[in-house]
Amino acid sequence: MMREQVVRIAELEIDPAQIEPYRALLSEEIEASIDNEPGVLMLQAVSEKERPEQIRILEIYASREAYEAHLRTPHFLKYKDGTADMVKSLRLIDVEPIMMRAKRAAGTEKTNGNELG
């Protein structure tokens, strides 16, 4: 039996005075989640150009168990605690993927090992 993935969009409104500290904590949390949790398949965060306090995160987890385990990790709890007074509103929307494809990010092709970064 195949486990059903959890796919959702998180809609957040951030206190405009705290956008930069919020972004730093979010970036740290996403890096740790992708690097350390096999069940976290994708986390993509964007903000609206004209309203940078409006953040959207596309989240894909391998299973409900992977999502629930993610909520208990030290890096997620650090993010939740650290951003508690920055987040003005949060709406979690479970979504059904229709078609999701991506190209490999530029610069991730085979390299000769001399690149910086």
Side-chain angles (χ1 to χ4, degrees):
M1 180 175 124
M2 192 170 106
R3 292 183 176 173
E4 188 172 331
Q5 291 181 342
V6 173
V7 183
R8 69 168 28 140
I9 295 173
E11 294 183 341
L12 298 99
E13 181 178 356
I14 307 305
D15 174 2
Q18 300 187 72
I19 289 173
E20 290 311 314
Y22 174 82
R23 285 179 172 214
L25 285 165
L26 176 62
S27 295
E28 180 182 304
E29 195 281 327
I30 288 175
E31 288 283 337
S33 296
I34 295 297
D35 289 349
N36 300 311
E37 296 180 69
V40 178
L41 303 181
M42 182 169 59
L43 293 171
Q44 307 259 331
V46 297
S47 64
E48 293 184 25
K49 282 187 177 186
E50 300 300 320
R51 299 184 311 157
E53 70 278 6
Q54 298 294 320
I55 307 282
R56 304 293 180 265
I57 306 168
L58 175 60
E59 308 174 22
I60 303 178
Y61 303 92
S63 64
R64 173 70 48 195
E65 294 80 11
Y67 170 69
E68 290 171 2
H70 169 70
L71 298 179
R72 296 187 299 270
T73 61
H75 50 267
F76 180 78
L77 295 172
K78 177 184 176 185
Y79 160 80
K80 268 312 245 194
D81 291 343
T83 62
D85 66 341
M86 299 176 185
V87 176
K88 294 172 68 174
S89 69
L90 168 64
R91 180 174 172 229
L92 299 175
I93 307 163
D94 289 318
V95 296
E96 187 71 35
I98 297 171
M99 171 59 80
M100 298 177 72
R101 296 202 55 198
K103 291 188 182 235
R104 186 179 286 234
T108 60
E109 289 75 27
K110 287 186 178 182
T111 64
N112 64 11
N114 293 330
E115 286 75 20
L116 297 175

